[in-house]
PDB file of all heavy atoms in Angstrom:
ATOM      1  N   VAL A 131      14.079   2.161  -5.464  1.00  0.00           N
ATOM      2  CA  VAL A 131      14.058   1.011  -6.365  1.00  0.00           C
ATOM      3  C   VAL A 131      15.085   0.018  -5.846  1.00  0.00           C
ATOM      4  O   VAL A 131      16.250   0.369  -5.622  1.00  0.00           O
ATOM      5  CB  VAL A 131      14.376   1.433  -7.823  1.00  0.00           C
ATOM      6  CG1 VAL A 131      14.474   0.228  -8.729  1.00  0.00           C
ATOM      7  CG2 VAL A 131      13.319   2.420  -8.322  1.00  0.00           C
ATOM      8  N   TRP A 132      14.634  -1.219  -5.619  1.00  0.00           N
ATOM      9  CA  TRP A 132      15.472  -2.254  -5.030  1.00  0.00           C
ATOM     10  C   TRP A 132      15.802  -3.341  -6.041  1.00  0.00           C
ATOM     11  O   TRP A 132      15.039  -3.604  -6.961  1.00  0.00           O
ATOM     12  CB  TRP A 132      14.750  -2.896  -3.845  1.00  0.00           C
ATOM     13  CG  TRP A 132      14.424  -1.938  -2.760  1.00  0.00           C
ATOM     14  CD1 TRP A 132      13.252  -1.247  -2.590  1.00  0.00           C
ATOM     15  CD2 TRP A 132      15.286  -1.524  -1.703  1.00  0.00           C
ATOM     16  NE1 TRP A 132      13.337  -0.442  -1.492  1.00  0.00           N
ATOM     17  CE2 TRP A 132      14.569  -0.589  -0.917  1.00  0.00           C
ATOM     18  CE3 TRP A 132      16.593  -1.855  -1.335  1.00  0.00           C
ATOM     19  CZ2 TRP A 132      15.125   0.007   0.206  1.00  0.00           C
ATOM     20  CZ3 TRP A 132      17.126  -1.256  -0.208  1.00  0.00           C
ATOM     21  CH2 TRP A 132      16.398  -0.336   0.548  1.00  0.00           C
ATOM     22  N   SER A 133      16.937  -3.983  -5.826  1.00  0.00           N
ATOM     23  CA  SER A 133      17.344  -5.132  -6.634  1.00  0.00           C
ATOM     24  C   SER A 133      17.824  -6.218  -5.681  1.00  0.00           C
ATOM     25  O   SER A 133      18.593  -5.937  -4.752  1.00  0.00           O
ATOM     26  CB  SER A 133      18.476  -4.725  -7.589  1.00  0.00           C
ATOM     27  OG  SER A 133      18.970  -5.849  -8.268  1.00  0.00           O
ATOM     28  N   HIS A 134      17.369  -7.453  -5.887  1.00  0.00           N
ATOM     29  CA  HIS A 134      17.797  -8.562  -5.041  1.00  0.00           C
ATOM     30  C   HIS A 134      18.730  -9.482  -5.815  1.00  0.00           C
ATOM     31  O   HIS A 134      18.409  -9.927  -6.915  1.00  0.00           O
ATOM     32  CB  HIS A 134      16.591  -9.364  -4.531  1.00  0.00           C
ATOM     33  CG  HIS A 134      16.980 -10.483  -3.623  1.00  0.00           C
ATOM     34  ND1 HIS A 134      16.806 -11.808  -3.954  1.00  0.00           N
ATOM     35  CD2 HIS A 134      17.558 -10.471  -2.403  1.00  0.00           C
ATOM     36  CE1 HIS A 134      17.249 -12.559  -2.960  1.00  0.00           C
ATOM     37  NE2 HIS A 134      17.706 -11.771  -2.007  1.00  0.00           N
ATOM     38  N   ASN A 135      19.899  -9.757  -5.238  1.00  0.00           N
ATOM     39  CA  ASN A 135      20.848 -10.702  -5.812  1.00  0.00           C
ATOM     40  C   ASN A 135      20.723 -11.987  -5.010  1.00  0.00           C
ATOM     41  O   ASN A 135      21.145 -12.050  -3.846  1.00  0.00           O
ATOM     42  CB  ASN A 135      22.270 -10.136  -5.723  1.00  0.00           C
ATOM     43  CG  ASN A 135      23.301 -11.049  -6.336  1.00  0.00           C
ATOM     44  OD1 ASN A 135      23.223 -12.270  -6.209  1.00  0.00           O
ATOM     45  ND2 ASN A 135      24.293 -10.467  -6.993  1.00  0.00           N
ATOM     46  N   ALA A 136      20.140 -13.011  -5.613  1.00  0.00           N
ATOM     47  CA  ALA A 136      19.894 -14.268  -4.899  1.00  0.00           C
ATOM     48  C   ALA A 136      21.192 -14.969  -4.517  1.00  0.00           C
ATOM     49  O   ALA A 136      21.224 -15.731  -3.549  1.00  0.00           O
ATOM     50  CB  ALA A 136      19.017 -15.183  -5.747  1.00  0.00           C
ATOM     51  N   THR A 137      22.275 -14.717  -5.238  1.00  0.00           N
ATOM     52  CA  THR A 137      23.560 -15.361  -4.926  1.00  0.00           C
ATOM     53  C   THR A 137      24.178 -14.784  -3.659  1.00  0.00           C
ATOM     54  O   THR A 137      24.587 -15.523  -2.767  1.00  0.00           O
ATOM     55  CB  THR A 137      24.543 -15.199  -6.113  1.00  0.00           C
ATOM     56  OG1 THR A 137      23.926 -15.730  -7.287  1.00  0.00           O
ATOM     57  CG2 THR A 137      25.845 -15.924  -5.839  1.00  0.00           C
ATOM     58  N   THR A 138      24.226 -13.458  -3.558  1.00  0.00           N
ATOM     59  CA  THR A 138      24.822 -12.829  -2.371  1.00  0.00           C
ATOM     60  C   THR A 138      23.802 -12.611  -1.268  1.00  0.00           C
ATOM     61  O   THR A 138      24.179 -12.437  -0.105  1.00  0.00           O
ATOM     62  CB  THR A 138      25.425 -11.455  -2.731  1.00  0.00           C
ATOM     63  OG1 THR A 138      24.368 -10.590  -3.173  1.00  0.00           O
ATOM     64  CG2 THR A 138      26.502 -11.580  -3.788  1.00  0.00           C
ATOM     65  N   GLY A 139      22.516 -12.579  -1.618  1.00  0.00           N
ATOM     66  CA  GLY A 139      21.465 -12.274  -0.654  1.00  0.00           C
ATOM     67  C   GLY A 139      21.273 -10.789  -0.440  1.00  0.00           C
ATOM     68  O   GLY A 139      20.470 -10.373   0.393  1.00  0.00           O
ATOM     69  N   TRP A 140      22.012  -9.970  -1.185  1.00  0.00           N
ATOM     70  CA  TRP A 140      21.928  -8.522  -1.000  1.00  0.00           C
ATOM     71  C   TRP A 140      20.655  -7.964  -1.633  1.00  0.00           C
ATOM     72  O   TRP A 140      20.309  -8.284  -2.759  1.00  0.00           O
ATOM     73  CB  TRP A 140      23.123  -7.829  -1.627  1.00  0.00           C
ATOM     74  CG  TRP A 140      24.423  -8.005  -0.890  1.00  0.00           C
ATOM     75  CD1 TRP A 140      24.611  -8.516   0.360  1.00  0.00           C
ATOM     76  CD2 TRP A 140      25.723  -7.668  -1.373  1.00  0.00           C
ATOM     77  NE1 TRP A 140      25.934  -8.513   0.691  1.00  0.00           N
ATOM     78  CE2 TRP A 140      26.652  -7.994  -0.349  1.00  0.00           C
ATOM     79  CE3 TRP A 140      26.194  -7.117  -2.543  1.00  0.00           C
ATOM     80  CZ2 TRP A 140      28.017  -7.781  -0.483  1.00  0.00           C
ATOM     81  CZ3 TRP A 140      27.555  -6.913  -2.682  1.00  0.00           C
ATOM     82  CH2 TRP A 140      28.455  -7.242  -1.656  1.00  0.00           C
ATOM     83  N   LEU A 141      19.975  -7.109  -0.883  1.00  0.00           N
ATOM     84  CA  LEU A 141      18.887  -6.280  -1.406  1.00  0.00           C
ATOM     85  C   LEU A 141      19.473  -4.880  -1.523  1.00  0.00           C
ATOM     86  O   LEU A 141      19.834  -4.269  -0.514  1.00  0.00           O
ATOM     87  CB  LEU A 141      17.711  -6.253  -0.430  1.00  0.00           C
ATOM     88  CG  LEU A 141      16.612  -7.263  -0.680  1.00  0.00           C
ATOM     89  CD1 LEU A 141      15.691  -7.369   0.521  1.00  0.00           C
ATOM     90  CD2 LEU A 141      15.822  -6.894  -1.918  1.00  0.00           C
ATOM     91  N   THR A 142      19.629  -4.389  -2.730  1.00  0.00           N
ATOM     92  CA  THR A 142      20.383  -3.166  -2.979  1.00  0.00           C
ATOM     93  C   THR A 142      19.482  -2.047  -3.476  1.00  0.00           C
ATOM     94  O   THR A 142      18.647  -2.251  -4.362  1.00  0.00           O
ATOM     95  CB  THR A 142      21.476  -3.445  -4.037  1.00  0.00           C
ATOM     96  OG1 THR A 142      22.215  -4.590  -3.642  1.00  0.00           O
ATOM     97  CG2 THR A 142      22.410  -2.276  -4.194  1.00  0.00           C
ATOM     98  N   ASP A 143      19.673  -0.855  -2.892  1.00  0.00           N
ATOM     99  CA  ASP A 143      19.048   0.362  -3.412  1.00  0.00           C
ATOM    100  C   ASP A 143      19.803   0.685  -4.700  1.00  0.00           C
ATOM    101  O   ASP A 143      21.010   0.931  -4.682  1.00  0.00           O
ATOM    102  CB  ASP A 143      19.183   1.488  -2.386  1.00  0.00           C
ATOM    103  CG  ASP A 143      18.654   2.823  -2.896  1.00  0.00           C
ATOM    104  OD1 ASP A 143      18.568   3.038  -4.120  1.00  0.00           O
ATOM    105  OD2 ASP A 143      18.342   3.671  -2.051  1.00  0.00           O
ATOM    106  N   THR A 144      19.113   0.663  -5.826  1.00  0.00           N
ATOM    107  CA  THR A 144      19.800   0.812  -7.108  1.00  0.00           C
ATOM    108  C   THR A 144      20.394   2.199  -7.321  1.00  0.00           C
ATOM    109  O   THR A 144      21.309   2.356  -8.120  1.00  0.00           O
ATOM    110  CB  THR A 144      18.862   0.466  -8.283  1.00  0.00           C
ATOM    111  OG1 THR A 144      17.739   1.349  -8.251  1.00  0.00           O
ATOM    112  CG2 THR A 144      18.402  -0.981  -8.204  1.00  0.00           C
TER     113      THR A 144
END
Side-chain angles (χ1 to χ4, degrees):
V131 175
W132 300 94
S133 174
H134 182 246
N135 182 322
T137 304
T138 63
W140 287 348
L141 266 166
T142 309
D143 175 338
T144 60

